[in-house]
C-alpha cells in the first residue's frame, strides 16, 4: 500500500511539473500532419495585450499534395498496380487462379475502380468463372481498365490499361475426371428438374463410374471414445474418493476433541471405559436423526457392537484405531489399551490432557484456515490496485505534449 502511494505521488509530481512547463511555453506554430494521418486540433489559451481572453480552438487539416506531387503519386501507384493484382499468379500472360483487383493502393492516397470487357469470365472482384473457362482451353485475353482516383480531389484521375490471358485452372487427372462427371451430372440435373429423382450416370465417355456414399468415421469415433470415457470415469471416481476421504478425516478431527472430553467426563464420574464408550454410542444413536451421520461416532458404534458380539475389548479398540487411520485416534487407542493392561490409574488425567491438546490443535487449524482465506484475497486485491494505477496514470502520461 505504501509503495502504491509513493508511486502515485511521484507520477503526479512528474505530470504537474511537465504540465506547468507546457502551459508556460509560447506556441508560435502548429505542425501539420502528413497525408493519411488526418487533421488535428489544438485548444490554446490566449492573451491580448497581456490580458486573458477566451480560449481558442484551432483546426489544422493534413498536408495536401501539389499537382506535380499528385502526378508522381499516380506514377508510383501505376508501378505497384500489376504486382498487387496478380494474387497467386506469376504474370498476367498466364492467369489460372483468381486475380486480386484491389480498390486502393497501399501507402498511396489513391482509390481504384475497375472495368472489364469479359464479365462472364472474371467478375469485378477478380474471381474466375471456372465453368465458363473450361470451354476455353487455349485461354482468353481479358482487357482490364483501372481508374485511379486521388482521394482528396476526385477530379484528379489516371487510367491504366492492361491485358490478362485467362486460362482454366490447372487440374490433375483425377480432378479432370471429377470435373467431367460433374458436368454430365449438372446437365442431367437441368434436364430432369421436373422429375422426382435425379438418375446418376454409370458410365461417362466409355469409363465406368461408381458413386457411393462417403465413409462415415463416426463408428470409429465412438470406439475411440469408449476407453477415453472409461479413463475419465476412473479418474473422476478416484477424485471423488479422495475428496470423500479428506472430508471424512476433516469431520473426524473436528469430533475428536468432543469425544475426548466426553470420555474424560464419564471416566471422572466413575464409569469404566467400556461403559463410557457405550454411553457415548447410545447418546449418538438417539441424536443421529437430528445431527446427521458422524464418521467417528459410527466407528465407535461398530466397535461397541463388536464387543457385544464377543470380540475382546482390546481387539475392538485396535480395530477402531485401524479403521479411523488417524494419528489422534491411534493415540487414543494406545491410552485405552494401556489402561486395560495396567489399570485405570492416571487415565482420566491423560485423557484430560489429550482433550485440551486436541482443542488447541482445533483452534490452530481454524486460525490457519482463516489466514489461508486472507492470503487468497491478496492476489485479486493487488490486481485491482494495479488496474486502478493503470487507468489513472497511463492516460495522464499519454496526454503529456512532447
Amino acid at each position: 500500500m505504501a509503495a502504491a502511494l509513493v508511486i502515485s505521488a511521484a507520477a503526479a509530481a512528474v505530470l504537474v511539473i511537465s504540465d506547468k512547463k507546457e502551459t508556460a511555453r509560447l506556441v508560435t506554430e502548429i505542425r501539420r500532419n502528413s497525408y493519411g494521418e488526418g487533421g488535428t486540433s489544438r485548444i490554446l489559451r490566449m492573451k491580448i495585450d497581456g490580458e486573458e481572453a477566451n480560449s481558442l480552438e484551432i483546426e489544422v487539416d493534413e498536408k495536401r499534395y501539389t499537382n506535380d506531387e499528385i502526378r508522381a503519386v499516380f506514377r508510383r501507384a501505376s508501378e505497384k498496380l500489376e504486382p498487387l493484382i496478380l494474387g497467386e499468379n506469376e504474370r498476367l500472360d498466364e492467369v489460372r487462379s483468381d486475380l486480386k483487383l484491389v480498390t486502393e493502393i497501399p501507402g498511396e492516397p489513391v482509390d481504384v475502380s475497375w472495368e472489364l470487357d469479359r464479365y462472364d469470365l472474371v467478375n469485378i472482384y477478380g474471381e474466375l468463372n471456372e465453368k465458363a473457362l473450361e470451354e476455353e482451353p487455349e485461354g482468353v485475353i481479358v482487357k482490364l481498365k483501372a481508374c485511379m482516383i486521388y482521394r482528396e480531389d476526385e477530379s484528379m484521375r489516371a487510367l491504366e490499361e492492361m491485358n490478362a490471358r485467362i486460362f482454366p485452372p490447372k487440374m490433375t487427372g483425377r480432378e479432370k475426371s471429377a470435373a467431367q462427371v460433374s458436368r454430365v451430372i449438372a446437365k442431367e440435373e437441368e434436364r430432369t428438374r421436373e422429375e422426382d429423382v435425379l438418375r446418376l450416370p454409370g458410365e461417362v465417355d466409355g469409363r465406368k463410374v461408381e458413386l457411393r456414399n462417403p465413409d462415415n468415421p463416426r463408428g470409429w469415433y465412438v470406439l475411440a471414445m469408449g476407453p477415453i470415457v472409461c479413463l475419465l470415469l476412473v479418474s473422476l471416481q478416484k477424485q471423488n474418493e479422495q475428496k470423500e476421504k479428506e472430508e471424512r478425516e476433516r469431520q473426524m478431527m473436528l469430533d475428536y476433541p468432543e469425544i475426548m472430553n466426553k470420555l474424560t467426563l464419564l471416566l471422572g464420574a466413575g464409569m469404566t471405559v467400556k461403559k463410557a464408550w457405550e454411553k457415548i454410542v447410545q447418546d449418538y444413536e438417539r441424536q443421529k436423526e437430528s445431527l446427521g451421520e458422524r464418521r467417528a461416532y459410527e466407528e465407535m458404534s461398530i466397535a461397541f457392537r463388536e464387543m457385544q458380539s464377543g470380540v475382546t475389548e482390546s481387539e475392538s479398540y485396535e480395530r477402531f484405531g485401524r479403521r479411523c487411520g488417524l494419528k489422534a485416534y491411534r493415540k487414543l487407542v494406545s491410552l485405552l489399551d494401556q489402561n486395560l493392561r495396567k489399570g485405570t490409574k492416571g487415565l482420566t488425567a491423560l485423557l484430560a490432557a489429550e482433550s485440551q491438546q486436541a482443542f488447541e490443535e482445533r483452534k490452530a487449524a481454524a486460525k490457519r484456515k482463516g489466514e489461508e482465506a486472507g492470503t487468497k484475497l491478496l492476489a485479486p486485491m493487488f490486481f485491482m490496485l494495479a488496474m486502478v494505477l493503470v487507468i489513472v496514470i497511463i492516460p495522464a502520461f499519454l496526454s503529456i505534449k512532447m
Side-chain angles (χ1 to χ4, degrees), residues 63-80:
K63 185 179 179 180
R64 292 188 179 181
Y65 290 125
T66 63
N67 290 338
D68 291 339
E69 289 174 332
I70 292 173
R71 284 191 286 271
V73 166
F74 282 138
R75 284 195 298 271
R76 292 196 303 270
S78 179
E79 293 172 357
K80 295 179 180 179

Side-chain angles (χ1 to χ4, degrees), residues 117-307:
D117 65 344
R118 292 293 302 271
Y119 288 102
D120 57 325
L121 301 178
V122 187
N123 65 19
I124 196 64
Y125 303 107
E127 298 169 345
L128 306 186
N129 186 344
E130 296 181 4
K131 289 186 177 180
L133 288 170
E134 289 175 359
E135 301 175 0
E136 303 287 349
E138 301 300 323
V140 180
I141 295 177
V142 176
K143 183 176 292 186
L144 309 175
K145 293 182 180 180
C147 181
M148 295 180 289
I149 307 166
Y150 179 54
R151 288 191 190 129
E152 295 300 321
D153 185 356
E154 295 188 359
S155 64
M156 305 293 291
R157 302 187 175 204
L159 186 65
E160 180 73 16
E161 294 186 1
M162 56 191 77
N163 293 325
R165 193 174 186 88
I166 312 295
F167 290 87
K170 288 183 177 180
M171 293 188 294
T172 63
R174 299 178 69 175
E175 290 174 339
K176 289 179 180 178
S177 298
Q180 188 177 13
V181 174
S182 179
R183 286 196 298 271
V184 172
I185 293 175
K187 291 179 181 178
E188 182 68 14
E189 194 277 333
E190 186 175 357
R191 187 183 66 82
T192 61
R193 283 183 180 175
E194 297 179 355
E195 299 180 9
D196 293 335
V197 295
L198 169 66
R199 303 291 178 184
L200 301 178
E203 184 177 324
V204 174
D205 287 346
R207 292 185 296 174
K208 184 179 179 181
V209 176
E210 297 179 354
L211 298 172
R212 294 184 174 87
N213 292 319
D215 293 334
N216 194 331
R218 60 184 180 179
W220 296 104
Y221 293 156
V222 173
L223 181 63
M225 285 175 62
I228 295 174
V229 171
C230 291
L231 289 174
L232 292 176
L233 290 176
V234 171
S235 176
L236 179 62
Q237 182 180 0
K238 290 184 177 179
Q239 186 178 6
N240 291 337
E241 290 174 355
Q242 181 64 25
K243 287 182 178 179
E244 184 178 349
K245 180 181 177 183
E246 291 175 356
E247 176 61 24
R248 174 179 178 273
E249 292 178 352
R250 186 192 67 81
Q251 186 191 85
M252 293 181 73
M253 289 306 301
L254 286 175
D255 291 337
Y256 181 70
E258 182 180 305
I259 293 172
M260 294 298 296
N261 190 46
K262 289 179 179 180
L263 280 173
T264 304
L265 291 174
L266 294 173
L267 292 175
M271 287 186 177
T272 63
V273 174
K274 186 175 181 179
K275 284 292 183 181
W277 195 279
E278 180 181 357
K279 175 66 175 173
I280 293 172
V281 170
Q282 289 175 350
D283 290 344
Y284 166 70
E285 294 291 344
R286 284 195 301 269
Q287 301 174 5
K288 183 176 179 180
E289 290 186 4
S290 59
L291 297 178
E293 186 177 290
R294 309 295 294 181
R295 293 309 307 167
Y297 288 99
E298 289 291 328
E299 298 297 342
M300 289 183 70
S301 180
I302 293 172
F304 176 67
R305 287 195 293 271
E306 288 177 346
M307 294 178 200

